[in-house]
Amino acid sequence: MLRPYPSPVPIDAAKAGTRQPIPVTGDACTPLRPVLIILHQETSSPGRVGNALRALGHALDIRRPRFGDPLPETLEAHAGAVIFGGPMSANDPDDYVRREIDWIEVPLREQRPFLGICLGAQMLAIQLGAKVAPHPQGRAEIGYYPIRPTASGRKLCPFWPDQVYHWHREGFELPAGADLLAEGGDFPIQAYQYGNATGLQFHPDVTYAMMCRWTTRGHARLDTPGARPRHHHFEGRAMHDLAERAFLAHFIDGWLKREPMPALAEAAE
């Protein structure tokens, strides 16, 4: 059950006691709504996804439910919502994990653009009734790995990279009723879409600084079976980052333009 929360004022702006300017569209009449950003650590950032959203003119309403920030009862005041990754599991019993999974019902019900990245995609899968579990042989994807877009994936976005950046030890089933967008090796389900919601197992949000931080602080995880050695991460970035950036730019732009199904139905009448 959703709790009564205050109106969705950007948390970071509220804490600073300042009012952020409202971006406007090209006609300078219609203000662009902010995008709800859900992070899981004090030092986490929305990375390249945040940069892409700002470039389109959207403010970021950053919230960290793990540290007490509330989640809105509706997304009417937001252009969309993104739940990012983290070191925790979507199967953890922590209250904030369960609350985030339950909250995903809001964008699903309102058919608002929702994006889950890694942990966020796993939370979306659980909300849709699919299982999230470690690889049966204990393998991980940490580094760059190839993906194969499906016909549905290419229809959604034609600019898929050959390899993308991962950092995870758990994967998910394809939720019932979802379209598979991209496949992989050890973890077959790499991207899927359910209505206006999309789950990505990989990390198009990772910046160079984030990669340095993750491979330093999480160095022990590089010994996990299947993980790439640290130098491979930076070699892979040199080869694959340009394509991943192009994918993200096209994907984010199209993702935010998706309209709720009732609005589309009314427009067709």
Side-chain angles (χ1 to χ4, degrees):
M1 180 180 297
L2 295 172
R3 303 177 182 178
Y5 295 131
S7 60
V9 177
I11 294 296
D12 285 6
K15 289 180 179 177
T18 60
R19 183 183 297 275
Q20 293 184 340
I22 300 176
V24 296
T25 57
D27 60 10
C29 295
T30 306
L32 291 176
R33 289 171 292 181
V35 175
L36 182 65
I37 301 292
I38 300 174
L39 302 174
H40 298 102
Q41 299 189 89
E42 289 181 311
T43 58
S44 295
S45 83
R48 187 170 281 167
V49 168
N51 295 340
L53 292 169
R54 292 187 190 98
L56 291 172
H58 293 272
L60 306 183
D61 180 359
I62 297 177
R63 310 207 184 188
R64 295 176 172 85
R66 182 184 181 186
F67 302 105
D69 291 343
L71 292 173
E73 290 186 331
T74 177
L75 283 176
E76 290 180 0
H78 292 85
V82 187
I83 295 184
F84 286 78
M88 59 289 298
S89 169
N91 292 315
D92 287 347
D94 302 78
D95 179 65
Y96 74 91
V97 172
R98 310 319 303 174
R99 282 190 289 114
E100 286 186 35
I101 293 172
D102 291 343
W103 178 84
I104 294 174
E105 188 268 338
V106 172
L108 292 178
R109 181 183 70 244
E110 297 180 353
Q111 299 182 39
R112 305 300 304 172
F114 174 83
L115 173 60
I117 296 176
C118 198
L119 174 64
Q122 295 167 4
M123 289 179 165
L124 173 62
I126 290 178
Q127 165 63 230
L128 294 173
K131 292 182 179 179
V132 173
H135 188 275
Q137 279 78 50
R139 295 181 63 80
E141 286 182 327
I142 300 177
Y144 282 92
Y145 299 82
I147 58 170
R148 302 180 301 276
T150 64
S152 294
R154 292 195 180 280
K155 182 178 180 180
L156 179 72
C157 179
F159 301 98
W160 289 82
D162 293 329
Q163 296 202 25
V164 291
Y165 193 68
H166 294 76
W167 194 289
H168 67 99
R169 296 180 294 179
E170 293 186 312
F172 41 76
E173 299 175 334
L174 182 66
D179 289 327
L180 179 63
L181 302 179
E183 302 173 293
D186 285 337
F187 294 85
I189 311 302
Q190 288 290 326
Y192 64 96
Q193 182 178 359
Y194 184 91
N196 280 12
T198 304
L200 303 178
Q201 180 65 89
F202 51 93
H203 281 278
D205 54 313
V206 170
T207 63
Y208 180 80
M210 291 166 65
M211 185 178 291
C212 291
R213 186 167 62 249
W214 290 9
T215 57
T216 300
R217 297 179 180 177
H219 190 270
R221 295 197 177 186
L222 301 181
D223 294 330
T224 307
R228 307 294 196 214
R230 189 173 191 267
H231 71 273
H232 184 278
H233 294 228
F234 297 95
E235 292 173 356
R237 186 175 185 86
M239 293 186 289
H240 307 300
D241 187 59
L242 184 61
E244 196 163 12
R245 274 191 291 164
F247 161 79
L248 178 63
H250 286 88
F251 172 82
I252 288 292
D253 187 39
W255 171 73
L256 282 173
K257 290 178 180 176
R258 296 178 198 167
E259 294 292 336
M261 294 301 291
L264 290 176
E266 294 173 2
E269 292 179 356

